[in-house]
């Protein structure tokens, strides 16, 4: 018997929900969709373990508020946040709150399905000591300039603003960004952000000497 892999989707665009239902079903997931945050939260206590696809822009609230309420109710759901293009700052806040990944619109079907597959493979909202040590090691491998670029991206700054603040060209920022991601061993910016968040959380939680 195949294992049920339920994906709960919250998005206020009905056309998007119908499209996601078709895509997820074709990829052998079980989609359960909601258009309104209150409907989603009212049903959340009865959700089976699975994955949540959560849009940040929602009527009457936002995805981060919904995520915070969901965190208080459930600890067995992996959350993927969907943000507007270049809204990295929101993505960083979501990942600090336990999101397993984020996607920026417009995203490809391949990127979405890959993020969902990874979410099911990863234990929800649990970051092991090994993961943290690995993140610290990878971040330490960056050159000072690559680290500057990552810090800028984690602060939600676009390449142009990072270039201005570092007094280098946009093209140079793009080169450092590409090298940074290669050195970290990630293909998507979300992966770099996740490593940066874990490394920073490790520093924040370290005992004072």
């Amino acid at each position: 018997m195949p294992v049920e892999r339920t994906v709960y989707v919250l998005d206020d665009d009905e056309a998007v929900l119908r499209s996601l239902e078709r895509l997820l079903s074709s990829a052998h997931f079980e989609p359960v969709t909601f258009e309104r945050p209150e409907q989603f939260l009212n049903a959340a206590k009865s959700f089976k373990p699975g994955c949540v696809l959560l849009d940040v822009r929602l009527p009457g609230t936002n995805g981060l508020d919904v995520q915070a309420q969901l965190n208080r109710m459930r600890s067995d759901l992996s959350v993927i946040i969907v943000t507007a293009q270049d809204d990295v700052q929101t993505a960083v806040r979501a990942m600090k709150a336990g999101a397993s990944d984020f996607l920026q619109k417009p995203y490809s079907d391949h990127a979405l399905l890959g993020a969902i597959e990874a979410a099911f493979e990863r234990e929800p909202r649990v970051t092991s000591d090994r993961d943290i040590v690995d993140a610290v090691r990878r971040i330490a491998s960056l050159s000072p300039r690559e680290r500057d670029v990552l810090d800028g991206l984690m602060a939600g700054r676009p390449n142009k603003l990072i270039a201005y603040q570092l007094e280098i060209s946009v093209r140079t920022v793009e080169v450092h960004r590409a090298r940074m991601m290669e050195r970290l061993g990630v293909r998507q910016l979300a992966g770099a952000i996740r490593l940066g968040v874990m490394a920073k959380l490790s520093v924040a939680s370290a005992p004072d000497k």
Side-chain angles (χ1 to χ4, degrees):
M1 179 180 296
V3 177
E4 286 188 357
R5 299 194 298 170
T6 307
V7 180
Y8 301 96
V9 185
L10 176 57
D11 195 300
D12 64 335
D13 189 322
E14 184 178 356
V16 169
L17 292 180
R18 301 293 83 80
S19 175
L20 287 172
E21 283 180 344
R22 291 191 295 271
L23 174 65
L24 294 171
S25 296
S26 70
H28 307 293
F29 294 107
E30 180 188 354
V32 179
T33 60
F34 299 87
E35 289 186 46
R36 302 196 63 81
E38 59 270 21
Q39 295 171 333
F40 173 87
L41 290 170
N42 286 339
K45 288 183 179 180
S46 63
F47 285 174
K48 295 176 288 188
C51 174
V52 173
L53 188 63
L54 187 58
D55 200 316
V56 167
R57 295 186 177 182
L58 295 167
T61 183
N62 65 67
L64 296 182
D65 291 336
V66 173
Q67 182 191 12
Q69 293 182 64
L70 182 63
N71 283 347
R72 291 193 286 269
M73 289 189 287
R74 302 294 297 262
S75 61
D76 57 344
L77 297 167
S78 294
V79 177
I80 299 172
I81 293 289
V82 178
T83 70
Q85 191 172 17
D86 295 327
D87 191 9
V88 179
Q89 194 165 24
T90 296
V92 172
R93 288 175 57 196
M95 297 188 79
K96 286 182 177 179
S100 66
D101 208 341
F102 76 93
L103 293 169
Q104 290 180 303
K105 296 179 179 179
Y107 53 79
S108 67
D109 292 350
H110 177 76
L112 171 62
L113 295 176
I116 293 173
E117 288 284 3
F120 275 103
E121 292 173 4
R122 187 182 301 124
E123 192 172 353
R125 290 206 293 273
V126 174
T127 301
S128 69
D129 290 342
R130 184 187 304 174
D131 290 335
I132 292 175
V133 169
D134 179 62
V136 171
R137 176 186 61 79
R138 291 205 226 179
I139 295 297
S141 73
L142 300 179
S143 70
R145 190 57 91 194
E146 290 163 356
R147 181 63 183 271
D148 289 339
V149 170
L150 177 59
D151 287 343
L153 292 168
M154 291 182 63
R157 302 179 190 124
N159 288 353
K160 287 184 179 180
L161 181 54
I162 294 173
Y164 174 78
Q165 293 179 329
L166 297 180
E167 299 182 342
I168 57 180
S169 70
V170 174
R171 175 57 183 159
T172 302
V173 170
E174 292 171 349
V175 170
H176 285 309
R177 176 171 169 165
R179 289 178 178 171
M180 175 265 293
M181 294 181 67
E182 182 179 1
R183 206 183 294 266
L184 292 178
V186 298
R187 294 184 179 181
Q188 303 292 332
L189 180 57
I193 295 295
R194 187 170 189 272
L195 290 171
V197 168
M198 285 195 292
K200 284 184 177 294
L201 291 178
S202 172
V203 173
S205 62
D208 296 331
K209 293 183 179 180

